[in-house]
Amino acid sequence: MRSIKELSDHVRQQGGKVTPQRIAIWQALTNDKTHPTAEDLYARLTVAMPTLSLATLYHVLNELVEWGEVRRFDTGDGHTHFDPNTTPHAELVCLRCHTVIDAPKAAYTAVALPHELAGYRIVTRSEQYFGYCPACQRLANAMNLTSDERIV
Amino acid sequence: MRSIKELSDHVRQQGGKVTPQRIAIWQALTNDKTHPTAEDLYARLTVAMPTLSLATLYHVLNELVEWGEVRRFDTGDGHTHFDPNTTPHAELVCLRCHTVIDAPKAAYTAVALPHELAGYRIVTRSEQYFGYCPACQRLANAMNLTSDERIV
DNA sequence: TTCTTTGCAAATCGTTTGCAGCATG
DNA sequence: CATGCTGCAAACGATTTGCAAAGAA
């Protein structure tokens, strides 16, 4: 995601207005590596800005996604997650408990982002690895043990 | 996604049952490259199996995702899309109209899928490019022209 | 027979929308 | 001041859940 200053310029260029709500949301996302949901951000933001509405938050998030400043992705937990980190990296998502962390650098494609693909003007790229986290693997093992015991 | 036969074996190994509904859904997904939503699949399936319920479809889709046989992803249109294609490829998603197509082969990471990353047992990987499709670019251009005319 | 799965319908809940008042440029 | 933005609350709609009946193994 670009800086608050650059985003402000971008909004004004589009004939839009730089409001305290937009700035607050942009600030909350800056350097955020927690892959927050809208609810996560709302909880954080309302501490300092109690009147902020979820509707406004969604509106600002959606425009950031359309601008390619933030990526939106799905972990299977029924909540949409957002990530302002558009630098080369990949996420690691657990297929059972749906937690997300950034994948080790070695796992990410070093291929440069093309400007154009099949006539599409490319803005950003997203990469996710899906598997089972250490905790869920232990859980699965424990369940197998139980099944074995039942056989005995 | 693995073959119907392999999936049948997998279900039985887990102590599950191979039902006509599961088979029908597996068949519908086999070789599907359209990135269907649950509703898309439901419409297709109920032609031959009118009593199939959406609840069952969602249940079967969710278990396929948990097994790593199918990937679930989000295009921003409010519908979850599914893809049984777990071979190396990437999707191209329009940030404005939310359509999805497979990206050209050249755009996909040639990096082999690791079996393990940060303690996670890796099952599958997903890669998406986000940008603006030709039609939405034309739309944006048309809108800019209108603005210019307004200045005159 | 046993235990999983199905189907129906209702419930859930994340997200969007409409509109009147407000604030930015 | 003109227009875009906000907040509220209601609407929406995709997905999930509970439970009784059905059917694999």
Side-chain angles (χ1 to χ4, degrees):
Chain A
M1 195 179 77
R2 285 179 290 173
S3 71
I4 308 273
K5 184 168 183 19
E6 287 170 301
L7 292 173
S8 300
D9 292 345
H10 182 241
V11 166
R12 290 206 190 86
Q13 273 172 34
Q14 313 260 315
K17 294 169 181 178
V18 177
T19 62
Q21 289 84 348
R22 277 193 172 130
I23 292 175
I25 294 166
W26 296 342
Q27 279 179 338
L29 285 166
T30 298
N31 296 323
D32 186 301
K33 310 235 173 188
T34 65
H35 315 96
T37 64
E39 291 286 351
D40 292 337
L41 289 166
Y42 188 65
R44 245 186 269 166
L45 284 159
T46 45
V47 174
M49 188 182 271
T51 61
L52 178 70
S53 75
L54 255 177
T56 300
L57 176 55
Y58 274 109
H59 178 247
V60 174
L61 286 172
N62 287 340
E63 71 186 12
L64 286 169
V65 171
E66 270 217 15
W67 298 342
E69 301 288 341
V70 164
R71 274 177 312 111
R72 179 184 7 227
F73 65 94
D74 189 0
T75 65
D77 63 354
H79 300 254
T80 302
H81 294 251
F82 297 88
D83 191 353
N85 182 4
T86 52
T87 64
H89 77 293
E91 280 96 28
L92 208 41
V93 180
C94 180
L95 285 167
R96 187 158 298 132
C97 69
H98 312 296
T99 53
V100 207
I101 62 172
D102 278 348
K105 279 188 184 175
Y108 188 75
T109 326
V111 174
L113 190 72
H115 295 296
E116 185 273 340
L117 271 182
Y120 283 55
R121 183 159 57 79
I122 302 302
V123 172
T124 188
R125 174 172 53 192
S126 189
E127 188 172 4
Q128 293 104 23
Y129 285 87
F130 293 95
Y132 297 99
C133 73
C136 286
Q137 287 176 58
R138 281 195 294 275
L139 181 66
N141 289 337
M143 284 166 60
N144 286 338
L145 276 175
T146 309
S147 315
D148 292 340
E149 285 161 1
R150 218 180 274 150
I151 296 170
V152 177
Chain B
M1 195 179 77
R2 285 180 289 173
S3 70
I4 309 272
K5 185 170 182 20
E6 287 169 303
L7 291 173
S8 300
D9 291 346
H10 183 241
V11 166
R12 291 207 189 85
Q13 273 173 31
Q14 313 259 315
K17 294 168 182 181
V18 178
T19 61
Q21 289 83 349
R22 277 194 172 129
I23 292 176
I25 294 165
W26 296 342
Q27 279 179 337
L29 285 166
T30 298
N31 295 322
D32 187 302
K33 309 235 173 185
T34 66
H35 315 94
T37 63
E39 291 285 349
D40 292 337
L41 289 166
Y42 189 65
R44 245 186 270 166
L45 284 159
T46 46
V47 174
M49 188 182 268
T51 60
L52 178 71
S53 74
L54 254 177
T56 300
L57 175 57
Y58 274 111
H59 177 248
V60 174
L61 286 172
N62 287 340
E63 72 186 10
L64 286 170
V65 171
E66 269 216 15
W67 300 341
E69 300 288 342
V70 164
R71 276 177 309 110
R72 178 180 11 225
F73 66 93
D74 189 359
T75 66
D77 63 355
H79 299 254
T80 301
H81 293 250
F82 297 89
D83 191 353
N85 183 4
T86 51
T87 64
H89 78 293
E91 280 98 27
L92 207 42
V93 180
C94 180
L95 286 166
R96 187 159 299 133
C97 69
H98 313 297
T99 53
V100 208
I101 63 172
D102 278 348
K105 279 187 181 174
Y108 188 75
T109 324
V111 174
L113 191 73
H115 295 296
E116 184 274 340
L117 270 181
Y120 282 56
R121 182 158 58 79
I122 302 302
V123 172
T124 188
R125 173 172 54 191
S126 190
E127 188 172 4
Q128 293 105 23
Y129 285 87
F130 294 94
Y132 297 97
C133 73
C136 286
Q137 288 175 57
R138 281 196 294 276
L139 182 66
N141 289 337
M143 285 166 60
N144 286 337
L145 276 175
T146 309
S147 312
D148 292 340
E149 285 161 0
R150 218 180 275 150
I151 295 169
V152 176

